[in-house]
Amino acid sequence: MPPPVSRLISNRAPVAAALAAALALSGWVHAAAPDSPSTAILILDDDGRSISLPAPARRVITLTPHATELVYAAGGGDRLVATVASSDYPPDARALPRVGLGMTTNPESLAAHAPDLVIGWRTGRMDPAATALARLGTPLFVSAPGTLADIPGTLERFGGLLGTQAVAQPAADALRTRLATLAARYAHKPPVRVFVQIGERPLYTLNGAHIVSDMLRACGAVNVFADLALPAPQVSEESVLAARPDAVLLGAGPDSARLIRAWQDRGLPAAMSGHAYALDPDTLWRPGPRMIDAAETLCPLLDAARRPQG
């Protein structure tokens, strides 16, 4: 567990400087400016870049829905001044002004909201926004949790950036407790082999590096296409049938029942046995606190598909 961000580091002491370097390696530095009641903040983002703020952020824009959810969970919802169109949770987020559609943003709108911090996603489509923010001198924090364990860690860092540690730290601790409960319950059970479906024509899946695969691991399950090189590789129906997964996982939607029936019609044993599951896509794909809700829903379902050992 990273050190609490409430720890203050004096800039004047050599020992404190060494401690600051050690904390930076784990993503945390929260330094008190000498002879000043204000605090300067230095925290690493998920690209390993140092994000420096003279004081906790007061005007925040999120460019991805999971970051919006995490800001609210960290106690910083009142700091949000704008977001993107796809940010729809919690319900209060729907009233925020919009600065773009999904991964595309309007640089002029970003500037008009005068943010002191922007939280974005790791993607090349962020480049125009990053360029505009660099001109403005506005820090861009890249948030890309890669595992379920990264979600409480991100909550802690957001608490540091926003000065809301009193809310963020207990929320992070509660998520870690829930993850530990899942690990204790499912880690030693026989593995369940799962096919994760994204789309249909063409048919895509996710590889083992994706956070959804980490969710499967929390349930004592494995992704049948974990070894593929691309994060979201295209696969054939024949390769899915040949893999003979114990279960199928997809995001719930208007087509989910039809997609499950299609696998039943193709003779996929998992679907024919009732082990094809559709979960709320927002909780399944967004790496925020609700992804741990999704794991707690998914694990008992996969347990029903688990083959006896031996």
Side-chain angles (χ1 to χ4, degrees):
M1 175 177 171
V5 295
S6 57
R7 183 179 298 174
L8 301 182
I9 304 170
S10 168
N11 288 335
R12 291 180 290 183
V15 173
L19 179 57
L23 289 177
L25 292 176
S26 61
W28 299 94
V29 177
H30 191 186
D35 305 319
S36 170
S38 65
T39 57
I41 299 166
L42 182 65
I43 292 179
L44 299 185
D45 74 359
D46 287 338
D47 274 349
R49 300 178 305 116
S50 297
I51 306 302
S52 178
L53 299 176
R58 290 293 181 268
R59 297 185 59 80
V60 181
I61 294 177
T62 51
L63 302 181
T64 176
H66 85 270
T68 304
E69 296 190 24
L70 283 162
V71 167
Y72 274 98
D78 61 342
R79 315 292 171 82
L80 285 170
V81 295
T83 186
V84 288
S86 48
S87 288
D88 57 6
Y89 188 88
D92 286 352
R94 299 169 189 166
L96 291 169
R98 308 288 145 158
V99 294
L101 300 171
M103 295 296 185
T104 59
T105 57
N106 183 318
E108 290 77 16
S109 184
L110 282 175
H113 287 286
D116 52 16
L117 175 67
V118 173
I119 304 174
W121 181 248
R122 182 185 292 143
T123 170
R125 296 184 187 178
M126 286 290 158
D127 290 348
T131 300
L133 293 170
R135 286 198 297 266
L136 294 170
T138 303
L140 172 62
F141 184 100
V142 172
S143 173
T147 67
L148 294 186
D150 289 341
I151 293 172
T154 302
L155 270 181
E156 289 173 331
R157 283 184 289 166
F158 281 14
L161 290 166
L162 304 172
T164 58
Q165 297 97 322
V167 174
Q169 190 64 56
D173 292 342
L175 291 180
R176 286 196 179 96
T177 298
R178 291 164 63 189
L179 289 174
T181 298
L182 288 177
R185 185 174 300 158
Y186 296 104
H188 303 294
K189 291 196 174 188
V192 181
R193 301 176 67 256
V194 182
F195 165 56
V196 181
Q197 179 171 352
I198 300 178
E200 181 186 17
R201 300 182 187 281
L203 180 63
Y204 283 92
T205 188
L206 299 171
N207 75 357
H210 196 279
I211 192 171
V212 170
S213 291
D214 190 64
M215 181 193 300
L216 296 180
R217 289 189 286 271
C219 299
V222 295
N223 180 344
V224 296
F225 291 112
D227 292 338
L228 295 183
L230 295 176
Q234 185 175 339
V235 294
S236 66
E237 294 177 2
E238 292 75 17
S239 65
V240 176
L241 293 168
R244 293 186 65 84
D246 302 314
V248 176
L249 174 63
L250 63 155
D255 285 340
S256 56
R258 182 184 59 78
L259 294 174
I260 291 171
R261 285 195 304 271
W263 285 116
Q264 292 169 341
D265 293 342
R266 296 181 190 112
L268 186 68
M272 297 174 70
S273 301
H275 299 313
Y277 310 114
L279 270 60
D280 178 347
D282 289 344
T283 67
L284 184 59
W285 311 130
R286 294 181 184 179
R290 292 192 297 162
M291 182 169 270
I292 297 173
D293 297 345
E296 291 171 333
T297 298
L298 178 63
C299 290
L301 297 175
L302 295 181
D303 204 29
R306 184 166 269 113
R307 296 178 182 177
Q309 209 164 15

